[in-house]
Every structure is written in structure tokens, then in C-alpha cells.
Amino acid sequence: MNLLSNILYAPLSWLYGLGIGIRHLLYDIHILHSREVDIPTVCVGNLAVGGTGKTPQIEWLIRHLSPQYKVAVLSRGYRRRSRGFVLADEHSTANELGDECMQLHRKFPQVPVAVCKNRIEGIEKLRRHCPDVQVVLLDDAYQYRRLRCGFYILLTTADRLYIDDRLMPLGRLRDFTRQSQKANAVIVTKCPDTMTAIDRRVIANRLQLPAYQNLFFSGIQYQPLPAFRHAVLLTGIARPEYLAEYIGQHSEGTVNHLSWPDHHRFSASDIRHITEATQQADYVFTTEKDYARLQAMELPDSLQKKLYPIEINVRLSDEQLLAEQLKHYLHLCI
């Protein structure tokens, strides 16, 4: 960001900080009220906007907790076109749930997935619809102070730690760095394969976490790619460079990249443009999140047959420690 941008954005960043500071104060002195719910809640969130890997981390939690507990997921359903509480079913689309929740519903149809802007209301209605639920995973509720969650997981990317960022619009932070203190676990995400033990130690020393917080590191593991001569990468996510780099490093064919902003709602004209731009492609690679939105559109068969959503998994350091920490919390609650 250049000097002129700093001068223009600094007053806006100060005003934004003033606003969220007043909001936190009102909760801290109990003019605004937080409340707990009588079911274990695990929140996955961040301090910055977009692109830290919340959805893959939710998937990791589902895989590790659902064999032992009845797990449900609740999100606000960012950029969905529905209102109020919606519980996913076999007729649901990304328009009703939002792309991330639709992705979770597609991958884990046995797990109740619901959306509701009011998280407390959402939990109450989710429990009425699914009375056997034992734990609720909350996607992106770190700043939602109306609800006091039982266990907080804070994510921050390796290439832009929250301590190196600034409040919007000067930076990408949507909350103060001191709010990291309420996390039970901090995960540094999107770590490169080349990260060494010394690199991790440097990050740990810089973060200076208190003794009650455990620090973890995670990387992205993409599924293997099919062989191709020419492909198109189609993305509408916050940080597509990781996927673009992976495809470039693990393929010998040529790849063109069609990129839109995060959570972009594809229009009919977008679909026509994509169809024309991919006529010569063997595959149209895309993210699972983008695939969820595309499936809500009427796609020509020529495009549908070429779509190839690339699944990702999280490789987590000391994953057994985090799993045990979570199960200890749940054991105390259930």
C-alpha cells in the first residue's frame, strides 16, 4: 500500500477501530449482553477477512469428532439469498445456504448443516429439528459476541500473521489483535511444505501466546490432478494463488486462470463467457466452494462434463493433541 493510500485510509481505519472498540466496551461492561447455550460449541474463526481456511478446518473437525459425537454445523450463510433459519436438505442449493455450507452439506450429508444470522436462535432451532445433536460447530463466529462459545479456534495464515496486519481498510483485520487472547487454540494455516521446525519456532516466538493457548500449524493437501494438455482454472475465492501455484507445479499442461472476487455470484453472462473460454480445455478445475455455486446455475452439458472440483484436506501438526483437547472439553460438557 503506497503513501497516498495510507493517508487516505488511516482516518477510516481509526474510525473503524473506534466503532469496534465501543462495541467491545458495551459487551465488557454488560450494557450489551452475551450468553452461553446449554450445548457444547466450537467456534472456528479469524481476525482478518477471508482466505484463512475456515471451511477446511470445519471439515477436519467433522472428520475427527463425528465418529464419537453427533455433530452439527451452523453458519450465517454468507451471501445466501434466503433469510432466517434454513436447515439443509436434499433440495438445498448454494443460493439458500451459501457456497461454504453447501460444500459441507455435499461432502457430509449425514451431518446437519444450518444457516442463521442470529446464532443463538440458530442453535435453538437446530436442536429442535435435530434433538440428538451433541456439539455445534460454528463457522466464522469469532466476532459474534452475543454468544459465548465453549471452545475457540483462531486461524491466521503463515504469510500474513494477524500481528503483522492492520485494521481495515489499511489492512485486512476486522478486529483487534488482543481479541486473539480468547482463543483456546491458534492455528497458523496454509504453511508451505518447505516450512522447517526453525520457521515454526520463529513464528511461535513472534506470536508469544499465553500458556493456556496451544499453537498448531496446518498445510493444504490437494487431491491429485488428472493428466491434461490444456485446462482452465476457475476461481471466485479470496486467495486463489495457492491453488494456482499447486496446479502449475504439479502438471505439464497449459492452464488459463479465470478469476472473480470471493463468493462471486455467477450470472448467465458469466456462464456464457466461461463456456466460450473453456471450449478447448480438457478440464475446468475449480474449488469445491465455486463448484457449489456453479451447481445452482443452469450449465451447458459441455461445461458440466469438464468441471473438476479439487478437494482439499488439512494437514495439521500435532493433530492428536488438538483432537484430545477438544474431546476433553466435550467430555466435561456432555
Side-chain angles (χ1 to χ4, degrees), residues 95-108:
N95 290 333
E96 298 170 300
L97 302 177
D99 49 15
E100 291 158 338
C101 287
M102 189 62 204
Q103 172 184 330
L104 293 171
H105 178 55
R106 285 181 60 251
K107 294 185 77 171
F108 305 98

Side-chain angles (χ1 to χ4, degrees), residues 37-316:
V37 291
D38 59 349
I39 186 172
T41 50
V42 179
C43 169
V44 176
N46 52 14
L47 297 179
V49 293
T52 55
K54 293 187 296 296
T55 303
Q57 187 59 47
I58 290 284
E59 293 183 4
W60 184 93
L61 290 169
I62 292 172
R63 292 189 179 99
H64 281 74
L65 296 179
S66 58
Q68 188 172 349
Y69 302 96
K70 180 63 176 179
V71 174
V73 178
L74 178 66
S75 173
R76 63 172 173 162
Y78 183 66
R79 297 208 69 182
R80 63 187 172 116
R81 294 179 179 176
S82 60
R83 292 183 178 274
F85 175 85
V86 179
L87 180 64
D89 60 26
E90 64 272 18
H91 305 296
S92 296
T93 67
N95 290 333
E96 298 170 300
L97 302 177
D99 49 15
E100 291 158 338
C101 287
M102 189 62 204
Q103 172 184 330
L104 293 171
H105 178 55
R106 285 181 60 251
K107 294 185 77 171
F108 305 98
Q110 78 284 3
V111 173
V113 175
V115 293
C116 190
K117 184 176 181 181
N118 184 325
R119 307 304 206 287
I120 296 173
E121 175 189 344
I123 291 174
E124 292 172 348
K125 291 185 175 180
L126 180 58
R127 295 186 71 188
R128 286 202 294 269
H129 284 84
C130 308
D132 59 338
V133 166
Q134 295 175 292
V135 54
V136 178
L137 307 180
L138 290 147
D139 179 22
D140 199 18
Y142 201 86
Q143 284 74 38
Y144 193 79
R145 290 206 55 179
R146 291 180 63 185
L147 173 66
R148 290 195 302 274
C149 292
F151 196 99
Y152 286 94
I153 298 175
L154 177 64
L155 308 183
T156 183
T157 56
D159 62 351
R160 194 166 183 173
L161 301 171
Y162 59 80
I163 58 172
D164 297 327
D165 215 335
R166 292 184 287 183
L167 288 175
M168 299 188 301
L170 274 177
R172 297 192 305 131
L173 290 182
R174 51 179 169 170
D175 209 341
F176 299 120
T177 56
R178 63 175 177 266
Q179 291 300 314
S180 65
Q181 296 173 5
K182 73 178 181 182
N184 300 88
V186 176
I187 303 178
V188 179
T189 64
K190 302 186 177 179
C191 298
D193 294 337
T194 55
M195 179 175 282
T196 65
I198 294 176
D199 295 329
R200 294 181 180 184
R201 176 62 63 183
V202 169
I203 291 175
N205 289 338
R206 294 195 61 223
L207 290 177
Q208 289 292 302
L209 300 183
Y212 62 85
Q213 290 181 332
N214 285 322
L215 178 63
F216 303 88
F217 296 85
S218 71
I220 297 173
Q221 184 175 14
Y222 295 104
Q223 71 178 90
L225 297 173
F228 62 90
R229 290 174 299 174
H230 176 64
V232 171
L233 172 60
L234 170 61
T235 61
I237 59 175
R239 304 289 299 275
E241 60 268 25
Y242 297 99
L243 180 55
E245 181 181 7
Y246 169 77
I247 294 176
Q249 291 177 348
H250 293 81
S251 63
E252 297 180 357
T254 60
V255 182
N256 293 337
H257 188 183
L258 301 177
S259 180
W260 280 270
D262 196 18
H263 298 283
H264 176 73
R265 288 178 177 170
F266 294 103
S267 65
S269 61
D270 290 332
I271 299 303
R272 287 193 295 270
H273 171 67
I274 294 168
T275 303
E276 292 174 2
T278 59
Q279 287 182 356
Q280 304 303 317
D282 301 314
Y283 292 98
V284 179
F285 296 126
T286 190
T287 68
E288 294 176 280
K289 190 165 75 168
D290 291 310
Y291 185 80
R293 292 199 307 281
L294 287 166
Q295 294 309 297
M297 304 287 296
E298 290 188 12
L299 304 178
D301 289 342
S302 60
L303 176 59
Q304 182 70 58
K305 292 176 181 178
K306 294 179 180 180
L307 280 178
Y308 192 98
I310 299 178
E311 294 187 10
I312 66 173
N313 289 305
V314 168
R315 300 191 319 272
L316 187 65

